[in-house]
C-alpha cells in the first residue's frame, strides 16, 4: 500500500507543478488535496459502468487506428505494444490503462486536449496555463480554498465517471470561479462542451429504469423502437455502453418478432402447437423480466439513498448475464419460427428434433426436448387414433399416412397389378416417407402404417367393426413424447394382435387358402381326372367352329366333368365359383381356341387375388389347356396307329410300311416333347412354387402384405419359369423368338402333323378297302369257275375313283382345320394314287423337318438361360443327344452378319440335317 501511495504522490507532483510566489505550506496543502482527490477517484473506480474486458478495449483502439490511418503501420505497432503489455505481470490494471488512453484520445478529437503527445500532460497543460495567467494578472496569489481546484479536476477527470460526479464538479466550478473573476472568455467557451455532453448523456440508472420496457418490446424515453426490427440508442453514450445495449437489444427485437409469430394463424395442428409452445416460453421470459424489474427498482432506491450503482448490485452488464440463457432461447425459437414457414407436420417435428440431436450444447438439446414435449401432442393424438381405432384424424394432412385422393390418381404411375381405387388394402392409404418425423425410425413408421391399415380393413373390408371397437377400449393408452418404452411396447402388442386377427379372418371366415388351392387344381390343371374327363367330353364340341359354341352346352359338360371326377367332393362354395366361358371370337377360330375356365373371386379375397392375378391365371390356363389339347390329339392318333397296325395297316405294309414307321417315330418324338414340357410346368414349376407359397404363408408373423407379396411372387415364378414371362427373346430381342411364340408354333406344327397322319391313315384304309374288294371279287369269280380277273376288271382296278374319294375327304377335313395354321395344305390330286401319296409323303416330311428345326432352336435357347430349372428342361428333352442344339447369336452380332453367305450356308446345313433325320 505504501508503494501505491508513493506512486500516486509522485504522479500528482509531476502533474501539478509549483506556482511562483507560493509558499511551501500552500503548496503542500494543494498537493495533499490533489492526492486525496486521486484516491477518491481510484476508490470510486469499481463503481464505473464500463466493462472489465481488456480485449474489448483493445479492439476499440485497434478499430480507431484502422479508421484514422490508412496504412497498417500504426495498428501493427499497437499490436506489438499490446502483446508486450499483456506479458508484464507487475501491472494488474491493464484494462484501466488502455481505457484511459482510449478516452483521452476521444477527448483529443473533441478539442478538449491541446494535442500533446503525452495524454496526462495534455489534459493538464491548458488549465495550468490558465492558472498561471490568473496569478500574473493579480497582485496577490489567490487564497487557498478547501475545494478542489478546477485545474486538478480537469487534469485527472475521466469520461467514464457517473452523472452525479460530473454535476458535483460543475457546482464546485461555479462556486469557486464566479462569472467575471479572473477567467478569460476562451476558458468559458472551452468548458461548456464537456459539461453539456456529460449532462445530456443518460446515466446507467436511467437506462436500467427503461430496460424492462425495452426487453418487453415496448418503447421508452431513451430507448424507442422506430420500427418492428429497429431500436434507436442515444448517440451520446460511450461505445462500451452501446455494446452492452446492443447485446440487450437482441432479446427485445426477438421478443417482438416472436410475439407477432405467435399471434399469426396457421392451418395445421402441429403448427398451432408450435405457436402454443413458443407462447409458453415467452410467458416464462416475461416472468424473468418481471423478476429483473423488481431487482432494478430496489437498486434504483439504493442509488437514491446515495449508494453507488455497483453497491446496489444491478448493472447493465449483470443484466446481460442474467438474460443470457433467455436470449439463447429466444434465438432458437426465432430460428424455429423462420424454418417452420416452409414445413408442416412431420417435417416440422424433424426440424425441431434436429436441434436436439445435431448440437452438442446441452442447453440447445434440453430446450429442443422441452419444445418437442409440447409440440408433438397433436401428432401422438393422431397416432393413438390410428393404431387403436384404425381411423385417420388428420384434417390438415400432417400425418405420415395419407388417404387416397381420386384427383391425384391420374398423375401417378399406375401399377399393372392394381386397379386404382378398387382395392381397399392397396389404394385407400399410402405411407408418405417425406413426412415421417425423425423421432421414429422408418421401420417403426411402416409397422404403424400396417397396424392402422389392418384395423381399417378389418372394420370396413371384413365387416368386423365390433372387434375393432372392443380392442380399442381394452388397449387404448395415452402416448406422449419421451416415453419410448411404453410406445414401443404398445406398437409391438398392437401389431401382433391386429395381424393375427386379420389372418384369422382371411383363413377361417373368407377361406383364402381354400380359394388358392382351388385355383391351383382347376386353372393350373392340378386336378388331373377332372381335366381329362372335361377334355374328353368337350372334344367333339370344340372341334366345331367358334361361332357354333353355346355357353349352356359348355356349362353342362363342365357339370358332367365335376360329377364324374373327384372334384365333386370339393366345397360347394368352391364349385359354385367355377364356370366355363368363351373368349372373344375371331374369324376362323374353333372351339379349342376360345374355351376357358373362370374362377370368380369376391371381396375381400380380391385383395390377395387381384385382377392382375386373375389375368395371370387365365394366361397359364390357356397355355396348359393348349398343351393338353395337343397331348389328347397325339394320344388319339397314336392309339389309332397302334390298333391299326395289327389290322388295316398290316395289309398295306408292302406299300406304306416305311411311311408308317417314320410317322410312328415322329409322333413318339412329339409325345415325348409334350410329356416333358407338361411335366416340367406342372411339377418343376407349379408344384415347387406352390411349396414356396405354402412356406411363406405359414410363418407365425405373416401379415397380409406378406401374403400379397408371396402370391405375386408365386405367379411371377410360374409365368417366368413356365416359358410365359418374356415377351421378347433375350438373344434376338424380337417378339417372334420368345419362348411363348416358339412353343405355340411348335404346338401348331404338331396339330398339323396329326391331321396329315389322319390323311395318311384314311389313304391306308382306302387302299385296304380296295384290296378287300378285289379279293372278294376274285373269290367270287373263282367260285363261279371263271378267271379271277378279266380285262374289264383291270380297267376298274386302275380307275381313279378311289383316289378321288380320298382326295375329297382330305379337302373336306382341311376345310374344317384351323385356317391360321402356318403349314400349307397338302395337295390332293384328282388322278388317284399317283398324285395323292407323294403329296402326303412330302407334307409329312416337311412338317417333321420343321418340328425338329424349331425344337433345335428352342433347346439352344434353353441351354443359355440363367435359371437352372429351364436348363434342366432342355436336358430332359434331349437326354440322349438325338438333337444338336445350336446357340443363336445375339441380336447385335446377328445384325452384322445378316445376309452373309456363311450364315445362309449354315441355315441350309441345318435344314438338310433336319430332312435327313426325318427320313
Amino acid at each position: 500500500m505504501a508503494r501505491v501511495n508513493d506512486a500516486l504522490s509522485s504522479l500528482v507532483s509531476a502533474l501539478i507543478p509549483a506556482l511562483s510566489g507560493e509558499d511551501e505550506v500552500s503548496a503542500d496543502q494543494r498537493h495533499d488535496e490533489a492526492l486525496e482527490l486521486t484516491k477518491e477517484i481510484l476508490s470510486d473506480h469499481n463503481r464505473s459502468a464500463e466493462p472489465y474486458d481488456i480485449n474489448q478495449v483493445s479492439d476499440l483502439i485497434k478499430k480507431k487506428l484502422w479508421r484514422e490511418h490508412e496504412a497498417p503501420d500504426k495498428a501493427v505497432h499497437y499490436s506489438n505494444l499490446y502483446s508486450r503489455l499483456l506479458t508484464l505481470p507487475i501491472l494488474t490494471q491493464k484494462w484501466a490503462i488502455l481505457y484511459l488512453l482510449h478516452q483521452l484520445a476521444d477527448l483529443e478529437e473533441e478539442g478538449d486536449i491541446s494535442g500533446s503527445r503525452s495524454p496526462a500532460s495534455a489534459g493538464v497543460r491548458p488549465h495550468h496555463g490558465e492558472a498561471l495567467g490568473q496569478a500574473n494578472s493579480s497582485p496577490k496569489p489567490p487564497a487557498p480554498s478547501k475545494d478542489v481546484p478546477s485545474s486538478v479536476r480537469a487534469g485527472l477527470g475521466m469520461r467514464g465517471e457517473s452523472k452525479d460526479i460530473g454535476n458535483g464538479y460543475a457546482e464546485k466550478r461555479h462556486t469557486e470561479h464566479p462569472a467575471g473573476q479572473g477567467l478569460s472568455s476562451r476558458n468559458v467557451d472551452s468548458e461548456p462542451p464537456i459539461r453539456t455532453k456529460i449532462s445530456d448523456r443518460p446515466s446507467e440508472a436511467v437506462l436500467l429504469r427503461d430496460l424492462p420496457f425495452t426487453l418487453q418490446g415496448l418503447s421508452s424515453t431513451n430507448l424507442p423502437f422506430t420500427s418492428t426490427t429497429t431500436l434507436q440508442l442515444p448517440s451520446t453514450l460511450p461505445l462500451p455502453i452501446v455494446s452492452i445495449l446492443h447485446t440487450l437489444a437482441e432479446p427485445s427485437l426477438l421478443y417482438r418478432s416472436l410475439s407477432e409469430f405467435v399471434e399469426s394463424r396457421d392451418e395445421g395442428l402441429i403448427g398451432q402447437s408450435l405457436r402454443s409452445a413458443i407462447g409458453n416460453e415467452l410467458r416464462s421470459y416475461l416472468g424473468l423480466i418481471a423478476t429483473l424489474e423488481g431487482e432494478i427498482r430496489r437498486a434504483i432506491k439504493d442509488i437514491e439513498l446515495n449508494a453507488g450503482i455497483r453497491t446496489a448490485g444491478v448493472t447493465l452488464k449483470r443484466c446481460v448475464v442474467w438474460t443470457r440463457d433467455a436470449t439463447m432461447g429466444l434465438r432458437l425459437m426465432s430460428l424455429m419460427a423462420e424454418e417452420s414457414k416452409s414445413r408442416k407436420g412431420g417435417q416440422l417435428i424433424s426440424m425441431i428434433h434436429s436441434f436436439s440431436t445435431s448440437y452438442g450444447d446441452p442447453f440447445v438439446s434440453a430446450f429442443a426436448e422441452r419444445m418437442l414435449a409440447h409440440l408433438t401432442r397433436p401428432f401422438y393424438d393422431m397416432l393413438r387414433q390410428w393404431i387403436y381405432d384404425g381411423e385417420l384424424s388428420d384434417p390438415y394432412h400432417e400425418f405420415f399416412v395419407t388417404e387416397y385422393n381420386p384427383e391425384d390418381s391420374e398423375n401417378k404411375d399406375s401399377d399393372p397389378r392394381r386397379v386404382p381405387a378398387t382395392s381397399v388394402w392397396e389404394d385407400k392409404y399410402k405411407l408418405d416417407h417425406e413426412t415421417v418425423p425423425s423421432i421414429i425410425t422408418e421401420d417403426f413408421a411402416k409397422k404403424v402404417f400396417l397396424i392402422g391399415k389392418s384395423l381399417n380393413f378389418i372394420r370396413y373390408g371384413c365387416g368386423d367393426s365390433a372387434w375393432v371397437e372392443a380392442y380399442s377400449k381394452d388397449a387404448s393408452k395415452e402416448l406422449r413424447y419421451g416415453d419410448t418404452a411404453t410406445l414401443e411396447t404398445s406398437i409391438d402388442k398392437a401389431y401382433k394382435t391386429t395381424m393375427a386377427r386379420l389372418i384369422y379372418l382371411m383363413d377361417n371366415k373368407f377361406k383364402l387358402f381354400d380359394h388358392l388351392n382351388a385355383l391351383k387344381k382347376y386353372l393350373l390343371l392340378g386336378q388331373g381326372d377332372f381335366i381329362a374327363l372335361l377334355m374328353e367330353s368337350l372334344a367333339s364340341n370344340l372341334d366345331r367352329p367358334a361361332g357354333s359354341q353355346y355357353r349352356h352346352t359348355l356349362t353342362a359338360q363342365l357339370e358332367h366333368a365335376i360329377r364324374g371326377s373327384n372334384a365333386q367332393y370339393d366345397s360347394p362354395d368352391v364349385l359354385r365359383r367355377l364356370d366355363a366361358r368363351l373368349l372373344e371370337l375371331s374369324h376362323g377360330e374353333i372351339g379349342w381356341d376360345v374355351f376357358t375356365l373362370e374362377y370368380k373371386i369376391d371381396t375381400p379375397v380380391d385383395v390377395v387375388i387381384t385382377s392382375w392375378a386373375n389375368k395371370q391365371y387365365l394366361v397359364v390356363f390357356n397355355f396348359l389347356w393348349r398343351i393338353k389339347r395337343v397331348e389328347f390329339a397325339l394320344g388319339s392318333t397314336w392309339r389309332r396307329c397302334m390298333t391299326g397296325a395289327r389290322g388295316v395297316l398290316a395289309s398295306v405294309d408292302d406299300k406304306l410300311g416305311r411311311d408308317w414307321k417314320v410317322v410312328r417315330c415322329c409322333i413318339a418324338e412329339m409325345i415325348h416333347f409334350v410329356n416333358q414340357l407338361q411335366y416340367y410346368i406342372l411339377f418343376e414349376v407349379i408344384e415347387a412354387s406352390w411349396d414356396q407359397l405354402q412356406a411363406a404363408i405359414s410363418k407365425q408373423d405373416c401379415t397380409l402384405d406378406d401374403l400379397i407379396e408371396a402370391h405375386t411372387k408365386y405367379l411371377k415364378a410360374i409365368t417366368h419359369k413356365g416359358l410365359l414371362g418374356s415377351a421378347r427373346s433375350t438373344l434376338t430381342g424380337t417378339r417372334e423368338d420368345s419362348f411363348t411364340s416358339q412353343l405355340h408354333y411348335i404346338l401348331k406344327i404338331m396339330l398339323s402333323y396329326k391331321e396329315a397322319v389322319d390323311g395318311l391313315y384314311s389313304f391306308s384304309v382306302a387302299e385296304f378297302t380296295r384290296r378287300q374288294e378285289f379279293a372278294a371279287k376274285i373269290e367270287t369269280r373263282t367260285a363261279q369257275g371263271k378267271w379271277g380277273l378279266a380285262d374289264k376288271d383291270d380297267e376298274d382296278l386302275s380307275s381313279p375313283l378311289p383316289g378321288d374319294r380320298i382326295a375329297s375327304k382330305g379337302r373336306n377335313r382341311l376345310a374344317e382345320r384351323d385356317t391360321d395354321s402356318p403349314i400349307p395344305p397338302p395337295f390332293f390330286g384328282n388322278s388317284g394314287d399317283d398324285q395323292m401319296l407323294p403329296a402326303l409323303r412330302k407334307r409329312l416330311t416337311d412338317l417333321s423337318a420343321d418340328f425338329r428345326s424349331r425344337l433345335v432352336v428352342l433347346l439352344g435357347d434353353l441351354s443359355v438361360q440363367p435359371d437352372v430349372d429351364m436348363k434342366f428342361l432342355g436336358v430332359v428333352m434331349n437326354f440322349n443327344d438325338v438333337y444338336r442344339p445350336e446357340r443363336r447369336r445375339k441380336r447385335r452380332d446377328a445384325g452384322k452378319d445378316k445376309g452373309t453367305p456363311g450364315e445362309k450356308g449354315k441355315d441350309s446345313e441345318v435344314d438338310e440335317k433336319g430332312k435327313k433325320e426325318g427320313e
Side-chain angles (χ1 to χ4, degrees), residues 80-100:
N80 295 333
L81 294 177
Y82 176 66
S83 300
R84 293 172 60 186
L85 176 64
L86 294 178
T87 57
L88 295 177
I90 193 172
L91 299 177
T92 57
Q93 300 293 332
K94 299 181 179 67
W95 169 85
I97 296 172
L98 293 178
Y99 184 69
L100 174 63

Side-chain angles (χ1 to χ4, degrees), residues 216-235:
Q216 297 179 61
L218 302 175
S219 298
S220 59
T221 305
N222 298 295
L223 301 173
F225 285 91
T226 58
S227 65
T228 307
T229 59
T230 305
L231 175 64
Q232 182 178 359
L233 301 180
S235 60

